[in-house]
Amino acid sequence: MSLRSRLSISVTAAALLAAAAATPAVANDGWEEDSRGDGGHHQQQHNPRYYKGRVTASTLNLRSAPNRGSQIIGTAYRGEIVKIFCKTPGQRIEGNPIWYLLADGTWAWGTARYIDSIGATPRWC
């Protein structure tokens, strides 16, 4: 990936993070637990600002930029449901160039190669 591409991705990520920080906090971030009456719980998405995905890797490193060379700032585990804010092209991982910006407390990038989207396809950043 060229320096120009990396800078463009870094600027995009910084702008998204700044916009997210400027967004007023709300009591319901778009997800809520809903009891089905069978003792179990599931996550429901009501806010179109977020999309859902399921982690397919046993352990997925979440990164500060959409490439493997960036800092690891979190982890997600197989079967975990994550909130996806948007998608962007980044470093190709096993043929897949798409990365998701995750909004699970810490804004971090996860490769779409190991996250299956649930429902609507996430929008572009």
Side-chain angles (χ1 to χ4, degrees):
M1 185 180 302
S2 72
L3 177 59
R4 184 177 190 162
S5 295
R6 281 184 265 175
L7 287 174
S8 175
I9 290 169
S10 295
V11 169
T12 301
L16 286 168
L17 293 174
T23 302
V26 292
N28 179 356
D29 67 356
W31 289 54
E32 62 185 41
E33 253 189 338
D34 178 29
S35 176
R36 291 190 170 198
D38 60 358
H41 295 280
H42 71 282
Q43 298 276 341
Q44 275 191 328
Q45 182 179 10
H46 294 289
N47 187 336
R49 195 168 80 161
Y50 297 110
Y51 301 84
K52 289 193 301 186
R54 174 169 289 141
V55 176
T56 61
S58 58
T59 301
L60 177 63
N61 290 324
L62 305 179
R63 299 187 176 269
S64 61
N67 62 68
R68 281 191 174 159
S70 62
Q71 180 182 4
I72 296 171
I73 57 176
T75 54
Y77 301 96
R78 178 175 288 134
E80 190 174 332
I81 303 297
V82 293
K83 288 193 303 188
I84 302 169
F85 184 72
C86 62
K87 66 183 177 183
T88 193
Q91 180 182 8
R92 195 174 288 274
I93 306 299
E94 294 185 20
N96 189 334
I98 304 301
W99 287 69
Y100 294 139
L101 179 58
L102 305 180
D104 293 311
T106 301
W107 291 79
W109 294 96
T111 175
R113 170 62 182 90
Y114 297 113
I115 301 173
D116 287 342
S117 62
I118 300 170
T121 302
R123 68 183 166 269
W124 291 99
C125 297

